[in-house]
Amino acid sequence: MTTQRKPGATTHITPAGLMFLAITSLGWGFNWPVTKYLLAELPPLTLRGSTGVIGAALLALLAVMRRQSLHVPRALWPRLALAAALNVGAWMVLMGLALLWLPASEAALIAYTMPVWASLIAWPVLGERPTVLRAVALVMAFAGLAAIMGGNGIAASEAKLPGILMALGGSIGFAVGTVLAKKLPLQLPPITAAAWQIGVGCLPVALVGLLIEHSNWQAVTTIGWLLVVYSTVIQFCVAYVAWFAALARLPASVAAIGTMAVPVIGVVASAIALHEPLGPGQIAALVFTLAGVVLATRS
């Protein structure tokens, strides 16, 4: 995303960055029960790809209304394509495919190892040396995720290996994209940068979904259509813009650790909206994960 800092420069924690990170976590967290509901009515690639393309078009329209140029200099296209592939396309495709081999809980646990990879990659690439508080924050955040999953470990087996590799690939890819967004920022207007990244990342996903999946949009319920609007406007337009804005104002590792609140919010939202269990394990997860986020923002 757009940033006025020099590539590779140290980024300090700012209140605005924390605010944008909170908006991202809420938007993506509430999207968990939304997506779970919608997957009963639409196939995954079509759902994620089409809502992303529409969201990108809405962002482009907003950019035009705000008189922000949609022009991308030729020299920036390789950087833009890489960011879109890592931050949007690969994450959605690999995580969606991982669910073919893994239970959702195990896929989510692997997915949110992303802060570990981001912190490790940010050290040599950005010079963000790990601190003791940040290490403790990671441990507490993962303790929260373990509580969400009921303390069950991942039962690795030959049958699950493809799913494990895909989930790890999506997690590491998003981490690389997070760090590269700091190392090689896109010198574009904020909304323009988000529109192009989401559009370029989601268009191939939507096309593949149209080719290999069967979608019956006429069967989508009224509630389903309302949730499609949420997934399009909040997940892609609001949350992604807020995420890139947070990256411009926070160290990459802190922003990554902050996303650990997403699955906790998703569990609580699912308990309220879908009447899923919310017992001692989920409450412990909320405490551990939010404590980890607080420590990360103070490190």
Side-chain angles (χ1 to χ4, degrees):
M1 279 300 290
T2 302
T3 176
Q4 300 303 317
R5 300 177 180 87
K6 295 180 180 180
T10 301
T11 305
H12 299 288
I13 296 173
T14 66
L18 297 179
M19 179 193 69
F20 285 122
L21 186 59
I23 293 172
T24 300
S25 296
L26 289 170
W28 287 349
F30 287 127
N31 198 59
W32 277 35
V34 168
T35 301
K36 183 172 183 178
Y37 184 96
L38 287 175
L39 285 176
E41 301 188 6
L42 292 169
L45 296 182
T46 300
L47 171 64
R48 303 300 296 277
S50 59
T51 52
V53 170
I54 296 171
L58 291 175
L59 284 174
L61 178 61
L62 178 61
V64 171
M65 293 175 60
R66 294 173 61 90
R67 298 184 179 179
Q68 292 185 6
S69 174
L70 293 173
H71 173 70
V72 178
R74 183 177 300 178
L76 282 184
W77 271 108
R79 188 181 300 182
L80 174 63
L82 180 61
L86 293 171
N87 291 327
V88 183
W91 173 264
M92 290 194 298
V93 171
L94 290 174
M95 287 305 167
L97 293 177
L99 290 173
L100 298 177
W101 285 275
L102 294 174
S105 59
E106 294 185 0
L109 181 57
I110 297 173
Y112 283 92
T113 59
M114 187 271 283
V116 173
W117 314 123
S119 295
L120 292 175
I121 297 167
W123 189 358
V125 175
L126 302 177
E128 292 184 8
R129 186 179 297 274
T131 65
V132 174
L133 277 180
R134 199 165 293 172
V136 173
L138 278 172
V139 172
M140 295 192 71
F142 277 104
L145 286 176
I148 288 177
M149 308 310 170
N152 296 324
I154 299 171
S157 66
E158 185 176 348
K160 293 183 177 181
L161 185 58
I164 292 172
L165 293 177
M166 288 183 183
L168 276 175
S171 180
I172 294 173
F174 199 99
V176 173
T178 298
V179 173
L180 289 182
K182 303 293 296 181
K183 182 69 173 179
L184 303 171
L186 292 171
Q187 301 297 333
L188 294 171
I191 299 176
T192 298
W196 277 113
Q197 288 183 72
I198 295 170
V200 172
C202 288
L203 181 59
V205 179
L207 293 176
V208 172
L210 290 175
L211 290 174
I212 68 175
E213 295 177 337
H214 175 70
S215 306
N216 186 4
W217 289 91
Q218 294 180 344
V220 177
T221 63
T222 301
I223 294 177
W225 279 113
L226 292 174
L227 296 181
V228 166
V229 172
Y230 176 93
S231 187
T232 302
V233 176
I234 303 300
Q235 179 194 195
F236 286 107
C237 294
V238 176
Y240 260 102
V241 170
W243 167 246
F244 294 127
L247 278 180
R249 295 165 174 84
L250 296 173
S253 53
V254 171
I257 292 172
T259 63
M260 301 291 278
V262 173
V264 176
I265 295 170
V267 167
V268 175
S270 295
I272 296 173
L274 305 176
H275 307 291
E276 294 185 352
L278 181 59
Q282 288 78 18
I283 295 174
L286 181 63
V287 173
F288 277 118
T289 304
L290 294 183
V293 172
V294 170
L295 283 177
T297 59
R298 296 175 65 88
S299 58

